[in-house]
Amino acid sequence: MNLQPYMEFATSLAYHAGKITLRYFNTGIKPDRKENNDPVTIADREAEAYVRAEVEKNFPGHSIVGEEYGEQGNGHPFRWIVDPIDGTISFVQGVPLYGVLIALEIEGVVRVGAAYFPPLDEMLAAADGMGCWWNGRRARVSNVGQFSEACVVTSDFQHLSAKLNDIVPRFEKRKALLRTWGDAYGYLLVATGRAEVALDPRMDVYDCGPYPVIMKEAGGYFGSWDGTEGHTHGEGLACNAALRPEVLKLMRDG
């Protein structure tokens, strides 16, 4: 299957949805609260509405699942996964590390992905067998193979520790650099070799849709904390290939 048109389409969706979010960024807009107390803004809703309309126009019948408007078209082997703003808290606070995430899942496997960071104008895109591209150049994970030289990022160390209460000391003991350059931006850092590990204790499919193919094509890993690849495990771990065995061992038994 020729995935080039789908990658170009996903990249265009992410870019134009990102421009919608920039209309509201750093304007002082106030978020609403969802039932789970997560914040949501008019920027989230408008960006996702744009993506859905474009998918429906260009690929009628394809399924779509998004953070703000749920799922439509269940059962089609092609499913678009949309997070209009991954990092809404950052967005509301005026922090430029949020991203627009678009993925195409074909028969349950993510084959195409794009992640765009509008305030930074950084685009990360990949498709199976076509490489991972960062603003037009190849993206690769780092070859760092020692924790003492590694950077570990997450969105929130409190939630990380709540899931596994001694996880932070495990990394600290190995002298890793720990930072909260989180949400979508942390995964961009891993895919481009600027960090080695990204962790999140809770992820829905739209929070991580493009990462399996992005990390695979960049030479790394994305999946569950126990080493199972994919985007449907409710948690996220990305890392380079050199550290993967040690990271999984550390996650498993410390």
Side-chain angles (χ1 to χ4, degrees):
M1 181 185 297
N2 179 14
L3 296 175
Q4 180 74 34
Y6 295 110
M7 185 168 73
E8 290 175 358
F9 182 67
T11 301
S12 175
L13 286 180
Y15 178 80
H16 288 100
K19 295 306 179 185
I20 292 171
T21 70
L22 283 178
R23 298 175 194 165
Y24 300 98
F25 184 58
N26 268 335
T27 62
I29 64 169
K30 302 298 182 185
D32 299 321
R33 292 285 169 176
K34 304 180 192 178
E35 290 183 6
N36 64 1
N37 205 41
D38 284 349
V40 61
T41 70
I42 186 173
D44 298 80
R45 295 186 177 114
E46 286 192 7
E48 184 169 323
Y50 162 79
V51 171
R52 285 174 175 269
E54 289 298 303
V55 170
E56 290 168 6
K57 180 173 70 175
N58 288 275
F59 300 105
H62 283 198
S63 298
I64 309 171
V65 60
E67 180 167 12
E68 308 310 333
Y69 295 112
E71 186 153 9
Q72 67 187 63
N74 281 336
H76 196 283
F78 285 61
R79 182 171 77 152
W80 294 89
I81 304 172
V82 184
D83 192 342
I85 297 180
D86 187 74
T88 300
I89 293 174
S90 294
F91 175 83
V92 170
Q93 292 295 118
V95 177
L97 304 185
Y98 72 91
V100 179
L101 307 182
I102 308 289
L104 175 60
E105 179 191 86
I106 303 175
E107 296 182 340
V109 178
V110 173
R111 304 282 304 279
V112 175
Y116 182 55
F117 300 82
L120 306 174
D121 197 27
E122 291 190 57
M123 177 71 74
L124 195 61
D128 259 353
M130 297 178 59
C132 182
W133 300 90
W134 174 34
N135 283 11
R137 51 187 165 146
R138 284 296 293 262
R140 296 290 301 176
V141 298
S142 79
N143 59 8
V144 169
Q146 299 180 52
F147 277 114
S148 60
E149 299 175 4
C151 178
V152 179
V153 299
T154 189
S155 300
D156 183 338
F157 279 112
Q158 288 177 317
H159 285 90
L160 199 65
S161 296
K163 179 163 182 174
L164 190 60
N165 62 15
D166 65 341
I167 189 169
V168 174
R170 292 183 190 188
F171 283 107
E172 286 176 336
K173 275 202 230 176
R174 289 158 178 81
K175 304 187 185 308
L177 176 66
L178 305 177
R179 289 292 183 268
T180 51
W181 299 322
D183 300 316
Y185 192 69
Y187 296 90
L188 168 74
L189 292 177
V190 175
T192 56
R194 295 176 286 169
E196 282 64 51
V197 182
L199 292 165
D200 275 292
R202 180 176 68 88
M203 297 188 98
D204 291 306
V205 291
Y206 39 76
D207 296 317
C208 58
Y211 299 150
V213 69
I214 282 174
M215 292 302 167
K216 175 186 171 187
E217 293 297 315
Y221 162 81
F222 180 84
S224 69
W225 290 16
D226 66 4
T228 306
E229 293 183 345
H231 60 302
T232 60
H233 306 294
E235 62 192 17
L237 164 63
C239 62
N240 68 10
L243 273 174
R244 178 178 174 178
E246 288 301 311
V247 170
L248 293 175
K249 183 175 186 300
L250 179 148
M251 302 293 286
R252 182 176 64 249
D253 57 24

